């Protein structure tokens, strides 16, 4: 039987189904297979023109060689199971793409194991949610470069487009694509937490109602903060509950969920020795939010500090403070994520081009933002830059915002409004910009109690020395 399709999709959940439709829209002849047959029948009934594979062997048989199969199943064991079943039928040179949010260490393991069988495995981050998958996601593929070349025309077709091209690039070998996607999600956590904290100050600190907050976010979306997350935030504040006519956002329980990519980002940063406190603060904030019962009980014992009413005439100045602080803190969060990618790229010799990463994050993905234009330019000027805040333009934004940012964090601390991500970003900035830190004392203590040695400022060349501190 001649091959009827040139692209296969395994898994017809929301993301898999939308990507299958997107690939078909861009000229691919797509064969599909889903473990639960009824879901596949429903998909095929609603969308004629797809090749109906009855089982994995049928899917493989339907595809032109070298085959290309996108696996969109839940990250974890299901990916191993599908890869194993596929590999029993595939031929050397065929490509399996894992488009789920897989842990990059799993991707490294799978890539190695499948390469031994002559199969090529591409771990590909996909961002943009349902709508992105259907209309144009940001794609972060990693694996063997030849495998990417085989996929490139199709991936460029389905990816989101910006004036800087299609939002897809070859990230690097083995786990580079999934690592990049993981860090994207880490930045997403920080960005969302910063927006939540800004909302809290607008609401409790300045006293704005939901409609006024929606207007503020709409206004911010016209300037340097312009981004997908700010845009949807403005919309969220306008939505009313059908039954009660109340603002729906007020009816949402304040307990944030998480699926794990934010935690993985923090774990990877700890392992690679990169400080990402803005992202870690966002993770902690979700954890604390989830402890609702205990918070409610504690709130009975610890009242808020006194908080004055902001006079109407001062409101705009206070809103501007939040705007500037948000911009500066956001630069810090992106800088931390990019530093983490740099560290992983060096540790695993992935050679990730961060200018390209900024470029493919400009469209399709959840953290798409105007700021990424400046980030792209910054890496265009200095490819190996460790800390993005060192860039003249981004650093200029932070310098300009700093007085407002400091005033905001200081006041919020005094008023008892928790701003963990704003504050963590500010203290990170104050650390990385300081030529002199108090860790001379830390070293002295370590040497005093454990003879761990230290280096003398007045003779660095001499290397580690030890002193008797406690005699
Ligand atoms: C994306 C999103 C997507 C998903 C997150 C949510 O880029 O399209 O990041 O991957 O919505 O995994 O993560 P949490 O459930 O951990 O918030």
């Amino acid at each position: 039987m001649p091959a009827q399709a040139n692209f296969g999709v395994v898994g017809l959940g929301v993301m898999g189904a939308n990507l299958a439709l997107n690939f078909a829209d861009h000229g691919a002849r797509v064969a599909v297979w889903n473990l639960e047959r009824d879901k596949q029948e429903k998909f095929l009934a609603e969308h004629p023109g797809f090749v109906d594979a009855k089982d994995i062997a049928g899917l493989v048989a339907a595809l032109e060689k070298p085959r290309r199969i996108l696996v969109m199943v839940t990250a974890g064991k299901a990916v191993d199971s599908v890869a194993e079943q596929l590999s029993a039928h595939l031929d050397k040179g065929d490509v399996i793409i894992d488009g789920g949010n897989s842990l990059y260490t799993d991707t490294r393991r799978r890539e190695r194991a499948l390469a031994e069988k002559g199969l090529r495995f591409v771990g590909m981050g996909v961002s943009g949610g349902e709508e992105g998958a259907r209309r144009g996601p940001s794609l972060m593929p990693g694996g063997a470069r030849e495998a990417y070349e085989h996929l490139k025309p199709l991936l460029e077709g389905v990816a989101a487009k910006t004036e800087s091209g299609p939002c897809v690039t070859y990230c690097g070998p083995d786990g580079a694509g999934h690592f990049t996607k993981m860090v994207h999600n880490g930045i997403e956590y920080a960005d969302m937490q910063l927006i939540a904290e800004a909302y809290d100050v607008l609401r409790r600190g300045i006293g704005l109602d939901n409609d006024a907050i929606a207007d503020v976010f709409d206004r911010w979306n016209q300037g340097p903060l312009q981004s997908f997350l700010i845009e949807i935030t403005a919309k969220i504040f306008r939505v009313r509950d059908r039954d009660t006519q109340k603002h729906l956002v007020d009816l949402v329980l304040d307990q944030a969920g998480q699926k794990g990519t934010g935690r993985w980002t923090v774990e990877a940063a700890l392992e690679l020795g990169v400080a990402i406190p803005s992202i870690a603060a966002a993770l902690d904030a979700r954890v604390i939010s989830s402890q609702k019962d205990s918070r409610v009980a504690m709130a009975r014992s610890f009242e808020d500090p006194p908080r004055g009413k902001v006079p109407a005439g001062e409101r705009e100045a206070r809103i501007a403070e939040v705007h500037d602080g948000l911009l500066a803190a956001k630069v810090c969060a992106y800088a931390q994520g990019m530093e983490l990618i740099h560290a992983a790229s060096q540790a695993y010799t992935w050679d990730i081009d961060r200018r390209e990463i900024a470029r493919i994050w400009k469209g399709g993905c959840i953290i798409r933002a105007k700021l990424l234009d400046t980030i792209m330019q910054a890496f265009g000027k200095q490819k190996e830059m460790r800390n993005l805040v060192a860039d003249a333009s981004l650093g200029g934004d932070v310098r300009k915002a700093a007085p407002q940012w400091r005033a905001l964090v200081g006041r919020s601390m005094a008023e008892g409004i928790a701003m963990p991500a704003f504050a963590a970003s500010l203290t990170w900035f104050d650390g990385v910009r300081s030529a002199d830190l108090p860790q001379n004392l830390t070293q002295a203590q370590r040497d005093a109690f454990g003879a761990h040695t230290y280096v003398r400022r007045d003779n660095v060349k001499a290397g580690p020395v030890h002193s008797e501190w406690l005699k």
Side-chain angles (χ1 to χ4, degrees):
M1 187 177 71
Q4 304 146 278
N6 61 2
F7 196 75
V9 175
V10 173
L12 293 173
V14 180
M15 294 297 282
N18 280 344
L19 282 168
L21 292 166
N22 191 353
F23 276 98
D25 280 352
H26 288 87
R29 284 168 291 123
V30 183
V32 295
W33 180 73
N34 190 74
L35 186 61
E36 295 90 30
R37 180 72 196 162
D38 45 341
K39 195 180 250 182
Q40 182 165 332
E41 277 171 4
K42 186 167 178 279
F43 176 86
L44 292 167
E46 284 168 8
H47 309 286
F50 287 81
V51 177
D52 177 14
K54 299 285 186 301
D55 51 24
I56 285 222
L59 179 81
V60 170
L63 293 170
E64 283 170 12
K65 295 181 194 175
R67 302 177 181 90
R68 297 172 284 204
I69 301 174
L70 173 65
V71 178
M72 294 301 298
V73 299
T74 313
K77 287 200 181 93
V79 178
D80 286 313
S81 160
V82 171
E84 199 186 310
Q85 292 176 62
L86 281 170
S87 64
H89 300 280
L90 292 176
D91 294 308
K92 281 199 164 55
D94 288 347
V95 182
I96 300 175
I97 312 151
D98 170 18
N101 270 334
S102 291
L103 181 60
Y104 72 101
T105 47
D106 285 343
T107 304
R108 303 192 75 206
R109 168 179 59 76
R110 289 173 185 138
E111 205 262 346
R112 266 198 307 274
L114 290 164
E116 276 171 22
K117 298 181 182 173
L119 300 176
R120 299 180 292 180
F121 185 72
V122 171
M124 182 171 77
V126 177
S127 178
E130 289 179 50
E131 187 59 20
R134 182 68 188 91
R135 307 274 163 223
S138 174
L139 300 173
M140 293 152 250
R145 189 180 271 280
E146 322 83 73
Y148 174 69
E149 293 303 327
H150 184 41
L151 302 172
K152 190 176 170 187
L154 281 178
L155 297 185
E156 288 191 346
V158 299
K161 312 285 181 305
T162 71
E163 71 289 349
S164 306
C167 294
V168 58
T169 195
Y170 173 66
C171 293
D174 59 75
H178 274 141
F179 192 93
T180 303
K181 174 61 177 27
M182 177 190 77
V183 175
H184 164 284
N185 281 27
I187 296 172
E188 176 184 304
Y189 273 49
D191 211 346
M192 291 170 71
Q193 176 62 24
L194 288 168
I195 294 172
E197 292 172 18
Y199 153 55
D200 211 9
V201 174
L202 295 175
R203 168 180 73 163
R204 292 200 290 156
I206 307 179
L208 302 188
D209 63 19
N210 286 323
D211 292 320
I213 292 173
D215 290 343
V216 168
F217 280 108
D218 265 338
R219 197 155 27 104
W220 288 354
N221 201 38
Q222 308 304 313
L225 281 173
Q226 193 261 315
S227 64
F228 170 71
L229 284 170
I230 295 281
E231 180 191 328
I232 64 162
T233 303
K235 289 188 176 143
I236 286 169
F237 281 108
R238 296 195 197 283
V239 175
R240 298 268 178 175
D241 174 46
R242 269 208 220 119
D243 299 331
T244 62
Q245 289 311 306
K246 290 182 177 158
H247 282 96
L248 188 53
V249 70
D250 291 338
L251 301 176
V252 177
L253 190 65
D254 53 336
Q255 281 184 315
Q258 50 171 306
K259 293 204 203 81
T261 46
R263 176 169 55 80
W264 294 346
T265 311
V266 173
E267 285 169 356
L270 291 172
E271 272 160 29
L272 290 162
V274 179
I276 56 162
S278 309
I279 297 171
L283 187 69
D284 286 342
R286 287 198 191 190
V287 171
I288 293 170
S289 83
S290 71
Q291 299 157 356
K292 178 77 175 176
D293 292 346
S294 135
R295 288 191 286 115
V296 170
M298 297 273 282
R300 288 187 208 110
S301 322
F302 300 98
E303 67 286 356
D304 278 343
R307 194 178 301 147
K309 202 171 173 316
V310 179
E314 270 178 39
R315 278 187 177 171
E316 276 309 314
R318 291 288 188 90
I319 294 169
E321 238 175 47
V322 185
H323 173 277
D324 290 7
L326 182 54
L327 182 62
K330 188 171 161 133
V331 170
C332 295
Y334 280 68
Q336 291 165 24
M338 285 296 192
E339 188 178 339
L340 180 55
I341 290 180
H342 187 54
S345 179
Q346 287 190 323
Y348 299 116
T349 55
W350 283 337
D351 195 24
I352 299 180
D353 180 347
R354 288 173 298 162
R355 179 185 177 277
E356 272 293 278
I357 303 305
R359 183 185 71 72
I360 66 167
W361 285 353
K362 279 176 56 179
C365 69
I366 305 296
I367 64 166
R368 60 187 186 260
K370 193 183 171 111
L371 182 64
L372 284 159
D373 253 329
T374 325
I375 295 178
M376 193 180 146
Q377 286 161 22
F379 285 128
K381 282 181 269 171
Q382 281 189 70
K383 189 165 186 277
E384 295 303 321
M385 188 171 10
R386 186 193 175 96
N387 190 331
L388 267 178
V389 178
D391 172 69
S393 173
L394 292 161
D397 284 348
V398 174
R399 183 180 293 107
K400 216 168 96 207
Q404 303 269 72
W405 187 16
R406 292 184 192 288
L408 168 70
V409 171
R411 187 178 304 106
S412 301
M413 295 265 177
E415 292 183 348
I417 298 178
M419 297 196 84
F422 269 79
S425 305
L426 180 54
T427 50
W428 174 82
F429 169 63
D430 279 334
V432 299
R433 68 164 188 83
S434 293
D436 208 18
L437 289 172
Q439 271 67 32
N440 51 330
L441 175 59
T442 311
Q443 284 299 79
Q445 289 168 327
R446 292 179 67 240
D447 192 45
F449 65 63
H452 294 298
T453 73
Y454 65 98
V455 175
R456 292 184 66 104
R457 291 177 198 259
D458 57 359
N459 194 0
V460 174
K461 279 205 189 106
V465 294
H466 167 63
S467 298
E468 291 301 326
W469 299 88
L470 306 178
K471 289 262 158 67

